[in-house]
Amino acid sequence: DAGVIQSPRHEVTEMGQEVTLRCKPISGHNSLFWYRQTMMRGLELLIYFNNNVPIDDSGMPEDRFSAKMPNASFSTLKIQPSEPRDSAVYFCASSLGPTEKQFFGPGTRLTVL
Amino acid sequence: GQNIDQPTEMTATEGAIVQINCTYQTSGFNGLFWYQQHAGEAPTFLSYNVLDGLEEKGRFSSFLSRSKGYSYLLLKELQMKDSASYLCAVGHASGGSYIPTFGRGTSLIVHP
């Protein structure tokens, strides 16, 4: 299996622009997680899907952030409009279930100027 | 809310043994994970404990005491490649399901 796939790997954008991050989970995994990692705050859970349904989005910072999972093999995290404080590494992870070990994608390093 | 504490940084010598502690306070506990993260890379799974006791896997072992809200990761015969951040993650009840919350991680530096 190719593992969790994320794109793009790097994104540099200007404040106010829309950013879309993409994730393809491992086939057969029912749970998908979006995380944000910064030096200041560590690894934070943004949103968690189970069987394509958002279960917990309490970690989504504000209305500028939205996430979708239209099918079992694809998810997006969108930031609109982006701000410099959104600069971070965004990881997508998938697992067989919410209490199973997670497999992380390589991450997207986002820089908002 | 969840509270997970780990030391920020530890140093050790190649060939030695190091123990990384993790204490937690949570509701609806459902297992504890350890992940390893090398600089610039994604976290990778190391171990999972749901019952009290020691789980051994090669050079790495993980221990859990649910009554004390305590876990540790033990690394034996340290190698330079073990220099990384080690993340403790606690599974807990949330939104009718269980999800993990990660600690800030312990940066381990192994020197010759």
Side-chain angles (χ1 to χ4, degrees), chain B residues 24-105:
Chain B
Y24 64 88
Q25 293 175 311
T26 188
S27 57
F29 175 82
N30 191 46
L32 187 143
F33 300 83
W34 284 96
Y35 286 81
Q36 180 190 58
Q37 185 177 24
H38 284 101
E41 298 182 8
T44 56
F45 170 80
L46 284 178
S47 68
Y48 174 62
N49 295 69
V50 66
L51 299 176
D52 292 351
L54 187 68
E55 294 280 343
E56 296 186 83
K57 192 184 297 184
R59 294 189 298 114
F60 293 5
S61 302
S62 57
F63 171 84
L64 175 67
S65 169
R66 288 172 296 172
S67 62
K68 296 181 179 179
Y70 168 69
S71 173
Y72 67 73
L73 181 69
L74 192 71
L75 291 74
K76 304 175 184 176
E77 301 171 12
L78 280 173
Q79 302 175 10
M80 299 297 289
K81 67 178 182 178
D82 296 330
S83 294
S85 181
Y86 292 85
L87 306 169
C88 169
V90 177
H92 60 91
S94 177
S97 183
Y98 288 93
I99 60 171
T101 293
F102 282 78
R104 294 293 303 276

Side-chain angles (χ1 to χ4, degrees), chain A residues 33-37 41-46 91 93 98 100-104, chain B residues 2-6 22-24 32-37 42-47 85-92 99-106:
Chain A
F33 304 80
W34 281 101
Y35 292 93
R36 177 173 66 178
Q37 188 172 42
R41 301 175 67 91
L43 193 65
E44 303 173 278
L45 178 66
L46 299 176
F91 288 105
E100 303 290 330
K101 64 181 180 182
Q102 295 183 23
F103 294 81
F104 283 76
Chain B
Q2 324 309 316
N3 190 31
I4 302 171
D5 288 316
Q6 307 179 233
C22 172
T23 59
Y24 64 88
L32 187 143
F33 300 83
W34 284 96
Y35 286 81
Q36 180 190 58
Q37 185 177 24
T44 56
F45 170 80
L46 284 178
S47 68
S85 181
Y86 292 85
L87 306 169
C88 169
V90 177
H92 60 91
I99 60 171
T101 293
F102 282 78
R104 294 293 303 276
T106 299

Side-chain angles (χ1 to χ4, degrees), chain A residues 18-46:
Chain A
E18 177 180 297
V19 175
T20 299
L21 311 181
R22 298 173 175 79
C23 175
K24 175 179 170 56
I26 293 172
S27 177
H29 282 191
N30 297 321
S31 298
L32 184 141
F33 304 80
W34 281 101
Y35 292 93
R36 177 173 66 178
Q37 188 172 42
T38 61
M39 290 293 292
M40 292 295 293
R41 301 175 67 91
L43 193 65
E44 303 173 278
L45 178 66
L46 299 176

